[in-house]
Amino acid sequence: MTVPGHQEYQTQLDEKVSRLTQLLSPFSAPAPSVFASAPVHYRMRAEFRVWHEGDDLYHIMFNQETKEKYRVDQFAPASKTINDAMTALLEKVKPSDVLRKKLFQIDYLSALSGELVISLLYHRQLDDAWEAEATKLREALQLQFPTVNIIGRARKQKRVIGGDFVIERLPVNSHTFVFKHIENSFTQPNADVNCKMIEWALNCVAPLKGDLLEMYCGAGNFSIPLALHFDNVIGTEIAKPSVQAAQYNIEKNNLDNVKIVRLAAEEFTEAMKGERTFSRLEGIDLSAYNFTTVLVDPPRAGLDLDSLKMIQDYENIIYISCNPETLAENLTQLCETHDIAESALFDQFPFTHHIEAGVLLTRKG
């Protein structure tokens, strides 16, 4: 596929900066710090449909405008590990009637560490014959890649050969953080830019003290690095696999001041107000914490009204947003009590219209 040039990338990035600046202008925000991406090999995840044509078998994608399919032998946005695996995998799947039968999609999850999970999705039930062939496939691929895991998925079925995760090692400033990234769970797709996001957040909190609350914490992407700065950290997350991964990550990073609780943001808001008690908070006395700072990284819809009101009680708010339009809507309320001290644009998704943004808000006066 054609790889866009540096100038085209810079032009698109400039357009994003202009759009974010315009959205933040009603709130007297400082000019955003801009964190660019590498123009190629930046995505740690990729998904492809599979096209069968006689004895041939290849990855395809669809043109979003025309909906027409096109063949993809290499995919420049994906990591080098994924590109290498795309070729190696199909070479070994094509000759196997068992592995290729009714295979309709292949998903890849890679890591800077070189680890790889390949998910094969089928329109049929998977049996022991499939598992035996998939085990041979994994063994063959491990001659080329340091750690490869294979997952087979079908309706109400998941067969795992090896594991369903990669162990990532993110270099942040002078520290390396260990993270378990589970297949089919949310992780930041652009690892290099994610490191820049974490470094920006660490820079924002450098002068701050006390305890940190993180809502929508996932597997602890921010909670764990920021725990090196704050006295205590509590993260909330509703997805059970992410909570389990976060507990693993806390242990592997040798932290004793982080707790992750499986609560929705709305539920935690009720707990903070004393309106409800939750067994999942057993042993945690929220009143004993000195929460001075809250970090939120909500879904595209932004924060609900109750959560917005709740975080306004904090001196400092770090808001990471994957949708600057809903960020701007939420800032209309947040800037009644807080000022924007810092803003940033993280180009997680080069050559798309998507913008990842961050703002640090501090209480007025």
Side-chain angles (χ1 to χ4, degrees), residues 169-185:
R169 292 168 177 81
L170 295 181
V172 176
N173 294 332
S174 58
H175 198 101
T176 298
F177 293 95
V178 178
F179 288 95
K180 176 188 280 189
H181 288 168
I182 300 176
E183 177 257 4
N184 245 20
S185 294

Side-chain angles (χ1 to χ4, degrees), residues 217-270:
C217 73
N221 185 66
F222 290 102
S223 299
I224 285 169
L226 267 61
L228 297 184
H229 176 79
F230 287 98
D231 296 330
N232 296 284
V233 177
I234 285 187
T236 71
E237 172 58 47
I238 192 61
K240 187 179 289 187
S242 293
V243 173
Q244 292 171 344
Q247 304 294 4
Y248 173 95
N249 298 337
I250 291 168
E251 179 182 348
K252 289 299 179 181
N253 288 283
N254 300 310
L255 296 169
D256 59 6
N257 63 335
V258 185
K259 296 186 185 302
I260 307 294
V261 293
R262 194 167 69 84
L263 290 174
E266 296 82 1
E267 292 174 322
F268 193 83
T269 299
E270 292 173 330

